[in-house]
Amino acid sequence: MESQWGSLFSYSGLATSAKGNLVVGGIQLGNVWIGVQPALGIEGDPMRLLFERDLTPHPQYAAFYHWLTDSFGANAIVHFGMHGTAEWLPGAPLGNTGLSWADVLLGKLPNIYVYAANNPSESIIAKRRGYATIVSHNVPPYGRAGLYKQLAEVKSLVAEFREDPEHNAALRGPIVENLRAAGLQKDCPLPNLTTASSNGAAGSNGHGAAAPDVAEGHVEGEPELTAEAVMEIPVHDFAEYAGRLYSYLQVVEGRLFSEGLHTLGQAPNPEKTRSYLAAYFGERLPEVALDEVSHWNGEDLEGMRQRLERSLQQGTASTSAPSRSEPAGTQDFGPAIEEAVQVRQLLQRNTEELTGVLTALSGGYVLPEAGGDLLRDGPGVLPTGRNIHALDPYRMPSAAALERGTAAAEAILTQHQAANDGAWPETVAVNLWGLDAIKTKGESVAIVLHMLGARPLAEGTGRVARFELIPLAELQPEGRPRVDVLCNMSGIFRDSFQNVVELLDDLFQRAAMADEPPELNFVRKHASSMESEGLANPGARLFSNPAGDYGSMVNERVGASDWESGDELGSTWASRNSFSYGRGQERGTARPEVLEKLLGTTERVVQEVDSVEYGLTDIQEYYANTGALSRAAQNAKGEGGKKVATSIVEAFGEKGKARDLDEVLRLEYRSKLLNPKWAQAMADQGSGGAYEISQRMTAMLGWGATTKFTEDWTWDQASETYIEDEAMAAKLRKSNPEAFNNTVKRMLEAAGRGMWNADDAKMERLRNLYSEMQDELEGVA
């Protein structure tokens, strides 16, 4: 440490007082001390420690743990919240040695780690490198987005128009005006109708084909339809469009999000229980059944069933139940009701989260359970309060994951061909994330296999022994090529699934050497081209950070406002992810030239989203990896290069559904960040909720920086929701002034960087508010 930082007796830097003393901030309550883990890094470069393995923690960081162990004399540490820093300190990537910093600092202290049940992959890092005993906690209850402001107005107008299109033809203008105000025209493009009408084929795309889905068909740069121009469109054409628009609004209205935060050890009340059940069962149970089960007191089960039977017989079941000639009875929903009762009972055992912490503090055995998500994995992930584990990496992908991943890959290829006159992509970049792979049991790996035209071969025990190339003649449709795949691995995937990494590398190397026409094998085509240029290992396709390092650093640069252009962020991603992995000694070999060539041929980026709780707009990692990867590919194509598309697969939702990135961003913004219902639920959580809002504002800036997603309506509505609503602004400012300050700062930054065309009045208000916040945070009266 002294060789890095100088004498420890004279150190002055991170977390030191004016007198040069090391500061350990916290509060003592009897025998319990509560503090905040110190920042990890170096002044002006807070994440550098993660990426340079020869560095050491700064002196105050080490002093923090030294004080806990030797001065305070702690018997154990209880760590709250994911992404602590101790387990990410320099050292062996797969497990500690006596010289790993996590081992040096944590020493003999028991480390009890309270972790989200749906994140088993990162909890494994805390176990492996932080000696943690995990105690899982539940995710927040789920809510439905609903509609608000212009979205609600559009739905009301469309519903009225559809009642009698000829009589209500005048509503076309107001519908379009509200569409524009809500930013819906790109998701529900009206220009298709103009084309259809001018070709005399109502409901067609001008080529005799059926009209595309609502979110497709918009031509970049094509003028949006105005309220005046829409009156020239025949009523019957607009009526067809109105039906598709109504369907899109139903998607937004029914979209799930996390409603607030979860309180450790607290069983959900009937309303929250109903939220979990409604999200899990969807239309499999009628409303009355959800009400009865969620309000059941846990005792007279037979009495509850009899009440439910009477209600169903009386026809009070919701319209979501199937229509029948005879009244529905509990026998019709018997299995689902039994499962609902089971889920409700398991949710009531959230109290075992605190029991798990106390058991660990007593030196007891915390029961294990598979980590996962109720919506995707079912009741088997409950109850919480358990020491969660993941899956067997030697059985990846599972049979179900292979089926779902194949369907997703097919949807992505179809999506690409539809947007490119039937052409196949030469290279697709697929993100392989540890959490995603664990929760889906390998769907992203299955996507890679299908793109390449390969399948897993398992031994008699079920362990996957090899990935086999499917003969070209068997690939469907006939004449389908092997699509090249650039695999970008997260550090957790790289470290947790070495066997999968080696199997994939073996597959790519065989594909690169296969005796097949290059026009039907893009892996061979690209590898041969690189080989002719003298590049070593042209079959390398699995890239990540340097061995033992994690992260792209893009989110750190965006968070610190340390960037001039999005191209810089793409270059940062490329420099951090140019290290190749595979068989033999391929353990983080720098191959920037191979990566650059692959990026230059990449036409589409693929990202799975595995959770309702955390989507593209919720955490920094998505734009820092998916967005920055897309920008790096765009950089490699040079000026005038074809735009790189991005497909998002929501693994928790409809099977095999692939959406364009911009469509998913708009859906998420409408259902969460810009939704007053979500905003209020977060604000009601106090400091933590304000922090969550603030983080999402930074993420919105990050998407603009990396992918040029810059639509005024998103920033306009954010300003209306969090700044211009005085009650909301006052609430956030009081509960977490730092988070509120960041929210204001990101709006000013977006406008300053040309991402938002804010009017002068908004800008003046934001500048004054930011000045006030600076004074408040610095203690200026």
Side-chain angles (χ1 to χ4, degrees):
M1 284 184 70
E2 288 196 329
S3 69
Q4 178 67 48
W5 300 94
S7 171
L8 302 186
F9 296 97
S10 59
Y11 169 74
S12 179
L14 284 172
T16 56
S17 70
K19 296 181 179 180
N21 297 320
L22 295 166
V23 176
V24 177
I27 183 171
Q28 187 163 344
L29 305 171
N31 290 336
V32 176
W33 183 81
I34 302 172
V36 179
Q37 193 173 39
L40 175 60
I42 301 167
E43 282 188 291
D45 193 357
M47 300 304 290
R48 184 176 160 201
L49 183 59
L50 285 181
F51 310 121
E52 294 190 25
R53 298 182 68 196
D54 293 335
L55 292 179
T56 76
H58 56 82
Q60 188 271 344
Y61 193 99
F64 176 89
Y65 282 96
H66 178 71
W67 180 85
L68 280 177
T69 305
D70 298 323
S71 297
F72 178 70
N75 300 116
I77 293 174
V78 181
H79 189 284
F80 287 85
M82 298 184 292
H83 289 308
T85 51
E87 62 266 28
W88 302 92
L89 292 170
L94 298 182
N96 287 331
T97 69
L99 298 178
S100 295
W101 276 101
D103 190 288
V104 171
L105 296 183
L106 287 168
K108 62 185 180 183
L109 272 180
N111 186 16
I112 300 153
Y113 215 125
V114 179
Y115 224 93
N118 68 344
N119 192 357
S121 72
E122 290 178 347
S123 73
I124 287 173
I125 302 295
K127 286 185 180 186
R128 186 167 57 213
R129 304 202 67 245
Y131 299 124
T133 293
I134 302 296
V135 179
S136 66
H137 68 78
N138 205 356
V139 298
Y142 304 103
R144 298 278 177 185
L147 297 177
Y148 52 90
K149 296 181 181 177
Q150 292 97 346
L151 295 177
E153 182 68 15
V154 170
K155 186 181 180 184
S156 175
L157 289 168
V158 169
E160 186 177 353
F161 170 81
R162 294 177 73 202
E163 288 174 5
D164 188 343
E166 293 292 343
H167 184 263
N168 297 324
L171 293 177
R172 287 174 292 172
I175 288 172
V176 169
E177 285 291 351
N178 279 280
L179 274 176
R180 296 179 68 188
L184 278 169
Q185 281 208 7
K186 288 188 178 177
D187 292 298
C188 310
L190 280 159
N192 286 326
L193 292 175
T194 308
T195 305
S197 298
S198 65
N199 282 277
S204 79
N205 61 13
H207 300 282
D213 291 340
V214 168
E216 298 174 358
H218 180 73
V219 179
E220 196 66 35
E222 188 170 354
E224 294 182 340
L225 201 59
T226 64
E228 294 76 24
V230 76
M231 303 307 288
E232 302 299 319
I233 292 178
V235 172
H236 63 276
D237 282 356
F238 192 83
E240 185 273 337
Y241 167 76
R244 293 186 287 129
L245 172 58
Y246 195 83
S247 296
Y248 177 81
L249 290 171
Q250 286 181 309
V251 171
V252 176
E253 187 174 19
R255 200 165 173 86
L256 291 169
F257 62 79
S258 292
E259 197 164 24
L261 301 173
H262 171 65
T263 302
L264 186 71
Q266 186 177 89
N269 61 26
E271 288 70 30
K272 291 182 178 179
T273 299
R274 194 188 190 288
S275 296
Y276 286 111
L277 295 177
Y280 179 63
F281 286 97
E283 296 187 356
R284 288 193 291 142
L285 276 180
E287 299 284 339
V288 66
L290 296 174
D291 288 336
E292 281 289 349
V293 174
S294 59
H295 286 83
W296 171 49
N297 63 9
E299 297 174 358
D300 186 12
L301 178 58
E302 189 54 40
M304 184 270 286
R305 286 182 173 138
Q306 291 174 4
R307 287 194 305 275
L308 181 54
E309 178 73 30
R310 288 194 297 270
S311 296
L312 291 169
Q313 290 291 345
Q314 291 166 7
T316 57
S318 78
T319 55
S320 65
S323 58
R324 307 169 189 275
S325 56
E326 298 295 328
T330 53
Q331 67 277 7
D332 297 286
F333 305 101
I337 290 172
E338 292 299 323
E339 189 178 10
V341 168
Q342 177 198 12
V343 172
R344 186 242 177 232
Q345 290 173 322
L346 289 169
L347 288 169
Q348 292 301 304
R349 293 172 63 183
N350 279 357
T351 53
E352 294 179 20
E353 294 168 356
L354 284 179
T355 305
V357 173
L358 293 173
T359 298
L361 285 170
S362 301
Y365 178 65
V366 180
L367 292 170
E369 186 56 81
D373 188 290
L374 173 64
L375 294 191
R376 178 180 178 86
D377 303 304
V381 302
L382 299 173
T384 45
R386 299 296 190 261
N387 193 343
I388 55 176
H389 56 82
L391 82 166
D392 182 351
Y394 292 93
R395 286 169 170 77
M396 181 189 292
S398 70
L402 184 64
E403 181 183 349
R404 286 178 59 95
T406 298
E410 274 293 312
I412 293 162
L413 292 174
T414 300
Q415 181 187 33
H416 185 88
Q417 287 185 290
N420 292 273
D421 298 323
W424 298 95
E426 287 215 4
T427 304
V428 171
V430 178
N431 281 312
L432 299 177
W433 284 19
L435 175 58
D436 156 66
I438 288 172
K439 288 179 71 172
T440 67
K441 297 179 174 59
E443 282 182 25
S444 55
V445 175
I447 290 174
V448 173
L449 295 179
H450 187 74
M451 292 286 180
L452 195 60
R455 59 193 163 210
L457 288 180
E459 299 173 338
T461 61
R463 291 162 66 98
V464 175
R466 177 181 168 92
F467 294 144
E468 175 189 54
L469 287 171
I470 300 170
L472 285 174
E474 294 181 26
L475 293 183
Q476 295 299 321
E478 188 176 343
R480 204 212 96 170
R482 300 194 194 282
V483 175
D484 203 350
V485 185
L486 164 59
C487 297
N488 173 230
M489 302 183 295
S490 73
I492 294 176
F493 186 97
R494 172 199 67 203
D495 295 345
S496 302
F497 303 115
Q498 180 61 35
N499 64 304
V500 179
V501 172
E502 293 187 4
L503 290 176
L504 284 173
D505 182 50
D506 173 62
L507 175 67
F508 281 119
Q509 299 294 347
R510 282 185 280 113
M513 295 184 291
D515 184 14
E516 296 172 344
E519 66 273 13
L520 291 177
N521 182 338
F522 295 141
V523 184
R524 183 187 179 195
K525 176 183 177 180
H526 299 152
S528 298
S529 174
M530 285 186 266
E531 189 174 29
S532 68
E533 296 179 30
L535 298 187
N537 195 3
R541 293 296 183 273
L542 295 130
F543 288 85
S544 186
N545 307 131
D549 284 354
Y550 306 86
S552 69
M553 285 191 71
V554 171
N555 47 327
E556 284 75 33
R557 293 194 66 178
V558 170
S561 302
D562 177 27
W563 60 283
E564 293 296 327
S565 72
D567 289 348
E568 282 182 34
L569 300 178
S571 298
T572 297
W573 180 91
S575 68
R576 290 287 304 142
N577 285 276
S578 60
F579 300 87
S580 168
Y581 291 83
R583 299 171 301 168
Q585 297 304 308
E586 197 78 356
R587 294 286 189 274
T589 306
R591 300 200 186 280
E593 297 86 359
V594 175
L595 176 64
E596 186 71 9
K597 291 291 184 183
L598 290 170
L599 288 171
T601 61
T602 295
E603 298 175 59
R604 188 167 289 269
V605 175
V606 176
Q607 175 71 63
E608 272 205 319
V609 177
D610 55 64
S611 169
V612 169
E613 186 182 5
Y614 291 110
L616 298 181
T617 61
D618 297 315
I619 56 177
Q620 314 298 317
E621 283 74 14
Y622 281 116
Y623 76 75
N625 291 281
T626 312
L629 164 54
S630 172
R631 192 55 171 260
Q634 202 68 58
N635 289 353
K637 292 181 180 298
E639 267 194 60
K642 183 179 177 183
K643 183 178 179 181
V644 177
T646 301
S647 294
I648 305 301
V649 180
E650 294 183 329
F652 55 85
E654 184 181 344
K655 184 176 180 180
K657 179 69 175 177
R659 302 181 191 271
D660 284 329
L661 170 67
D662 287 1
E663 181 190 356
V664 177
L665 289 175
R666 293 187 198 104
L667 271 173
E668 287 201 12
Y669 286 136
R670 289 186 181 116
S671 60
K672 289 188 274 191
L673 182 64
L674 307 179
N675 184 348
K677 182 179 176 183
W678 181 90
Q680 194 59 55
M682 281 297 173
D684 288 345
Q685 300 298 321
S687 177
Y691 170 78
E692 294 290 336
I693 292 167
S694 166
Q695 287 290 92
R696 285 159 175 82
M697 293 302 299
T698 302
M700 187 152 74
L701 188 82
W703 281 114
T706 55
T707 67
K708 301 182 182 179
F709 181 86
T710 55
E711 298 184 6
D712 285 342
W713 65 273
T714 57
W715 292 99
D716 285 336
Q717 291 185 24
S719 176
E720 291 168 12
T721 304
Y722 299 107
I723 304 300
E724 294 166 43
D725 183 329
E726 294 184 2
M728 172 65 77
K731 194 169 191 175
L732 297 176
R733 185 172 181 171
K734 180 180 180 181
S735 63
N736 192 330
E738 288 277 7
F740 183 68
N741 180 65
N742 184 67
T743 299
V744 177
K745 174 186 175 182
R746 296 308 175 187
M747 291 182 183
L748 287 170
E749 187 175 357
R753 292 183 183 274
M755 296 181 188
W756 177 29
N757 297 306
D759 61 53
D760 292 341
K762 273 190 173 72
M763 290 302 297
E764 183 66 20
R765 178 171 185 167
L766 287 169
R767 280 191 287 264
N768 291 337
L769 188 54
Y770 187 67
S771 178
E772 289 176 20
M773 291 305 303
Q774 292 300 295
D775 288 348
E776 181 179 323
L777 291 171
E778 292 172 12
V780 178

